[in-house]
């Protein structure tokens, strides 16, 4: 994971397109940022419960 503040890049060793599609299907909107990086850019007024939900979705998708 790399980034600054709330702008994060998640470098993956799996297919980012499939990862993004599964996250979107689970309710988490992500954007690709290159061949192996997924960009996570939440709003500045994000609530803790939204962060927890996003982490749960990412964990669930990576566990598949």
């Amino acid at each position: 994971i790399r980034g600054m503040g709330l702008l994060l890049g998640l470098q993956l060793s799996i297919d980012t397109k499939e990862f993004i599609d599964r996250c979107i299907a689970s309710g988490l909107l992500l954007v690709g940022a290159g061949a192996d990086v997924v960009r996570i850019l939440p709003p500045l007024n994000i609530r803790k419960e939204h962060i927890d939900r996003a982490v749960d979705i990412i964990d669930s998708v990576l566990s598949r």
Side-chain angles (χ1 to χ4, degrees):
I1 296 177
R2 58 185 180 210
M4 181 178 284
L6 289 178
L7 175 59
L8 299 173
L10 182 62
Q11 189 168 6
L12 302 174
S13 59
I14 60 172
D15 180 31
T16 57
K17 172 90 171 91
E18 183 179 345
F19 174 78
I20 290 170
D21 289 344
R22 287 185 179 186
C23 285
I24 290 173
S26 297
L28 179 62
L29 181 60
L30 299 176
V31 180
D36 63 347
V37 176
V38 174
R39 183 176 292 145
I40 303 171
L41 181 58
L44 294 176
N45 60 346
I46 192 166
R47 294 182 174 166
K48 183 183 181 314
E49 57 264 20
H50 294 139
I51 294 171
D52 293 340
R53 177 72 178 128
V55 170
D56 288 344
I57 291 171
I58 290 171
D59 183 47
S60 172
V61 170
L62 288 175
S63 296
R64 291 183 193 168

